[in-house]
């Protein structure tokens, strides 16, 4: 139990580090756009006015400066675009850490090759759901194996968890399951439970939460 708790803590720290980096990149992109972009736009406008009030030679230098300014603006816009087009949050590493420290039940994590999650709220919801699924399987199920799959489905992300237990009735919704359902619902997603071929839990979330 201590090893399992330690594994959950390590996985949580991994996810927090990833989402913190995402937040920092967003902050930098806003600063670049709001501060540098504003000043360089003003400089470009001032130089454009100056071209109508100076001699031919000076005007050539002004036009060259204006060209450089526009190039700088283009570069800044590209940097901002690159920062906003962030790499996916490394959810896989966090989920693998959870699976690696699950005792008694063998947990397998399968992620679609094209799975891409850039919204920190979606990543956290999926992580917490996986955490709850594994915990419930260990504590309450007679299953030996648990398979958790994540994949993209058009404009949504799908999580399907299946164990090989033999429950005859759906489990009662405790605080953990209710909290998971509320978190998923708040992000515009859905959660379904069934006991066909073992317990199956299906979560669908929009790729970008509202």
């Amino acid at each position: 139990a201590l090893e399992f708790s330690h594994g959950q803590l390590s996985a949580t720290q991994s996810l927090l580090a990833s989402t913190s980096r995402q937040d920092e990149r967003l902050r930098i992109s806003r600063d670049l756009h709001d501060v540098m972009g504003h000043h360089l736009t003003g400089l470009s406008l001032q130089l454009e006015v100056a071209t109508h009030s100076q001699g031919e030679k000076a005007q050539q230098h002004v036009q060259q400066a204006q060209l450089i300014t526009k190039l700088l603006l283009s570069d800044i816009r590209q940097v901002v675009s690159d920062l906003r087009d962030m790499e996916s949050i490394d959810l896989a590493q966090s989920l693998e850490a959870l699976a690696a420290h699950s005792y008694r039940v063998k947990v397998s994590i399968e992620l679609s090759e094209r799975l891409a999650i850039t919204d920190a709220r979606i990543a956290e919801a999926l992580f917490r759901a996986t955490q709850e699924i594994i915990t419930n399987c260990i504590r309450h199920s007679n299953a030996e194996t648990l398979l958790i799959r994540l994949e993209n489905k058009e404009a949504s992300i799908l999580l399907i968890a299946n164990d090989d237990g033999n429950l005859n009735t759906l489990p009662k919704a405790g605080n953990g399951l209710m909290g998971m359902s509320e978190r998923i619902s708040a992000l515009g997603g859905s959660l379904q439970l069934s006991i066909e071929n073992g317990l199956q839990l299906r979560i669908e979330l929009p790729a970008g939460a509202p």
Side-chain angles (χ1 to χ4, degrees), residues 122-178:
I122 296 295
E124 183 180 7
L126 291 171
F127 174 80
R128 295 301 179 192
T130 302
Q131 192 175 40
E132 184 66 24
I133 291 166
I134 294 175
T135 299
N136 284 341
C137 188
I138 290 173
R139 291 178 178 173
H140 307 300
S141 174
N142 57 1
E144 295 181 355
T145 63
L146 170 64
L147 172 63
I148 299 174
R149 294 183 288 118
L150 279 89
E151 59 187 48
N152 286 97
K153 181 184 176 184
E154 296 178 354
S156 62
I157 297 171
L158 192 64
L159 182 153
I160 299 176
N162 265 107
D163 68 30
D164 62 354
N166 55 0
L167 293 177
N168 296 318
T169 59
L170 288 173
K172 294 182 179 180
N175 290 332
L177 189 58
M178 289 177 60

Side-chain angles (χ1 to χ4, degrees), residues 71-125:
L71 289 173
L72 285 171
L73 278 171
S74 177
D75 289 342
I76 289 174
R77 290 192 183 103
Q78 185 61 51
V79 170
V80 172
S81 177
D82 290 344
L83 284 169
R84 287 192 176 278
D85 186 21
M86 295 172 296
E87 296 176 358
S88 299
I89 295 171
D90 192 2
L91 183 61
Q93 182 179 352
S94 301
L95 297 184
E96 291 293 348
L98 284 178
H101 292 86
S102 58
Y103 63 97
R104 192 175 67 78
V105 177
K106 181 182 179 181
V107 180
S108 300
I109 306 289
E110 292 184 0
L111 283 80
S112 169
E113 291 183 0
R114 62 189 186 92
L115 181 68
I117 302 173
T118 58
D119 191 314
R121 297 168 299 168
I122 296 295
E124 183 180 7

Side-chain angles (χ1 to χ4, degrees), residues 13-68:
Q13 290 173 336
S14 174
L15 182 68
L16 286 174
S18 181
T19 53
S20 294
R21 288 193 296 272
Q22 183 194 47
D23 291 341
E24 181 64 13
R25 293 178 73 176
L26 273 175
R27 184 192 66 79
I28 293 171
S29 72
R30 292 191 188 104
D31 288 348
L32 279 172
H33 182 272
D34 295 342
V35 179
M36 296 185 68
H38 171 76
H39 291 309
L40 287 174
T41 300
L43 177 60
S44 179
L45 290 173
Q46 291 297 326
L47 290 174
E48 185 174 357
V49 172
T51 59
H52 301 293
S53 59
Q54 298 188 19
E56 182 178 348
K57 186 175 181 180
Q59 185 174 353
Q60 292 176 354
H61 290 286
V62 171
Q63 289 174 342
Q64 183 64 28
Q66 187 178 25
L67 176 60
I68 295 172

